Amino acid sequence: MEPKKRTRHVSKAKYETTLDSKAQHYLNALKVRWMQLHDIPGLFAYQLQESRPGRKLPGKCGFYAELNADRTLKRRVPQTIESLSPTFRPKQFNFNKVDAMEVMMTIDEERDNAEVQMIINKSPITKYHTLICPEVKKELVQRITCSALNFCITFMRNITDPNMRLGYNSPGALASVNHLHFHLLHIPRNLYIDNVELKPLAGNYVYRLKNKEPTEAICFVFDGKESEDDLKEKVQQIHQITEWLCNNQLPHNLFMTHDRKTNDLRVFLFVRSKYCVNKDACVFNVGFCELVGFLPVGDEEKLQSLTEQVVIDRIKDLTGDAFETAYRQTKRIIDGSNSTLWPILI
């Protein structure tokens, strides 16, 4: 007879203070627990090697490709998510179905009265690869909520490890599971996105990449000096943009990282014109990892043959001209002249 699973009781005492003061404590505990679970045979789909073959692609961008054949062969089959306004399907895999041992911790964020589960990614890309899953029991689809965005930004602003990065893939932009989640990864190397130069787009905290950069992105900068009202406004503005993108069926990716020089938090938003229904093995897929210059590949041949120009061409093909409209809408939202969030012709 299968042993009865124990009910886990979370002590509320440890959550009396806000996420601002506890984020680093949570991260420290998460790292310890992740390593403990990684040593348990059969819990992860594979054991992530401490040292993995990698290659910096020749060229000015500094794209870095890393071999992870196990993820290609052993990961769960990605779901087909039909649109940016999908329906939750409880019979499909979702995070209510994971084993209790996979949940490393549950954080009660008092500010938004939200419960966030930190769950191991069973097919990790990097060490400490964790799924941040807000309000799991509410069965939220893979569409960013303001509360979830606020949690992620607050968490990232208050940790001190610059190698921890946070990402999100929308439906049509490499999302694998239609249940709201973000990715927390440990990438201890200088990435393409760490070196891009920015130029002002709107207000005094929203930027785009300079024209000399081969890719496009919107970037919100959080300098740590924001008042609580300023922080709330910035979070709401990013959420307005992602809602507009969803309403206009524009797939998107999000990436949060600390500026390596100033320690400001940068929140990058990438937009594409092409909706990817299924992940495929041709060339390589493009999610938030690839857009920032970190390229997990599935076999040795791709690792050795991939070139900077192939990466740039693939990203540009998926991006199309979606950014021009996104830039205009961002200016409307930030400058306070946002007259509508209804779909417009693009």
Side-chain angles (χ1 to χ4, degrees):
M1 180 180 295
E2 186 176 288
K4 184 177 180 180
K5 291 184 179 179
R6 292 182 298 172
T7 302
R8 297 176 308 128
H9 297 282
V10 179
S11 169
K12 296 295 180 181
K14 66 187 286 189
Y15 302 120
E16 287 178 354
T17 52
T18 66
L19 180 62
D20 304 66
S21 61
K22 300 288 280 187
Q24 186 60 45
H25 166 77
Y26 295 145
L27 178 61
N28 293 341
L30 181 149
K31 288 179 176 180
V32 172
R33 185 59 177 158
W34 194 96
M35 294 301 293
Q36 290 172 340
L37 294 176
H38 189 252
D39 289 338
I40 298 176
L43 186 60
F44 284 73
Y46 50 86
Q47 296 300 111
L48 188 71
Q49 300 301 310
E50 183 70 27
S51 178
R52 299 173 295 280
R55 173 174 166 260
K56 186 176 180 180
L57 307 190
K60 63 179 183 179
C61 294
F63 295 141
Y64 183 79
E66 185 170 278
L67 183 63
N68 191 338
D70 282 332
R71 182 171 167 86
T72 302
L73 298 172
K74 299 177 182 180
R75 67 173 301 185
R76 184 183 296 110
V77 177
Q79 295 173 3
T80 297
I81 308 176
E82 67 276 10
S83 75
L84 281 151
S85 300
T87 301
F88 188 86
R89 303 186 188 280
K91 291 185 178 180
Q92 290 185 328
F93 171 78
N94 62 76
F95 300 115
N96 285 307
K97 297 186 177 185
V98 303
D99 188 281
M101 189 177 289
E102 297 175 36
V103 184
M104 292 182 287
M105 65 177 65
T106 300
I107 300 173
D108 291 336
E109 169 56 358
E110 294 179 0
R111 182 178 291 143
D112 289 322
N113 193 28
E115 183 180 270
V116 179
Q117 292 186 6
M118 310 294 262
I119 302 175
I120 63 167
N121 189 319
K122 294 187 68 169
S123 301
I125 295 174
T126 73
K127 187 164 68 171
Y128 310 133
H129 191 171
T130 296
L131 301 176
I132 300 176
C133 303
E135 303 182 278
V136 173
K137 294 178 182 177
K138 290 187 178 181
E139 299 183 339
L140 303 172
V141 298
Q142 183 64 353
R143 179 165 172 161
I144 293 175
T145 65
C146 199
S147 172
L149 187 62
N150 183 63
F151 176 90
C152 291
I153 289 174
T154 303
F155 182 85
M156 289 295 291
R157 286 176 79 233
N158 289 283
I159 62 174
T160 58
D161 185 347
N163 296 321
M164 298 305 298
R165 325 289 187 120
L166 189 149
Y168 163 88
N169 296 322
S170 83
L174 229 61
S176 296
V177 178
N178 184 31
H179 197 179
L180 183 57
H181 65 285
F182 299 77
H183 295 259
L184 184 66
L185 303 100
H186 180 256
I187 308 178
R189 66 171 52 255
N190 206 32
L191 300 175
Y192 158 69
I193 204 67
D194 294 322
N195 300 313
V196 295
E197 294 186 30
L198 305 176
K199 68 177 185 179
L201 177 63
N204 61 354
Y205 54 87
V206 185
Y207 300 83
R208 57 176 290 184
L209 307 193
K210 282 191 173 181
N211 293 341
K212 70 173 186 175
E213 306 294 352
T215 63
E216 303 277 354
I218 298 165
C219 179
F220 277 70
V221 174
F222 293 78
D223 62 11
K225 301 175 184 177
E226 297 91 356
S227 68
E228 190 164 334
D229 286 342
D230 290 339
L231 177 62
K232 183 178 180 181
E233 182 179 27
K234 286 186 179 182
V235 171
Q236 289 175 339
Q237 288 169 341
I238 297 173
H239 184 244
Q240 280 184 284
I241 296 170
T242 60
E243 281 293 285
W244 179 84
L245 293 171
C246 288
N247 292 339
N248 283 275
Q249 291 298 307
L250 290 171
H252 47 282
N253 307 84
L254 182 142
F255 187 74
M256 302 184 194
T257 189
H258 289 98
D259 185 290
R260 314 297 267 192
K261 296 178 181 177
T262 66
N263 204 39
D264 293 344
L265 181 67
R266 291 183 170 189
V267 180
F268 290 92
L269 192 57
F270 305 90
V271 186
R272 65 181 72 193
S273 59
K274 290 188 177 181
Y275 190 101
C276 173
V277 177
N278 293 303
K279 296 182 180 182
D280 57 65
C282 62
V283 192
F284 65 97
N285 293 298
V286 176
F288 70 82
C289 276
E290 291 77 9
L291 288 163
V292 303
F294 185 71
L295 314 167
V297 295
D299 61 67
E300 180 70 26
E301 190 279 327
K302 283 186 180 179
L303 177 66
Q304 298 303 328
S305 64
L306 198 57
T307 67
E308 180 179 272
Q309 194 59 51
V310 167
V311 175
I312 292 172
D313 290 347
R314 174 77 164 151
I315 291 173
K316 285 185 173 181
D317 178 59
L318 292 171
T319 300
D321 59 359
F323 265 101
E324 291 308 316
T325 310
Y327 289 147
R328 290 196 297 271
Q329 186 64 12
T330 298
K331 288 180 180 179
R332 293 189 187 104
I333 290 171
I334 304 306
D335 294 338
S337 59
N338 178 36
S339 59
T340 179
L341 286 179
W342 295 106
I344 61 174
L345 294 177
I346 58 176

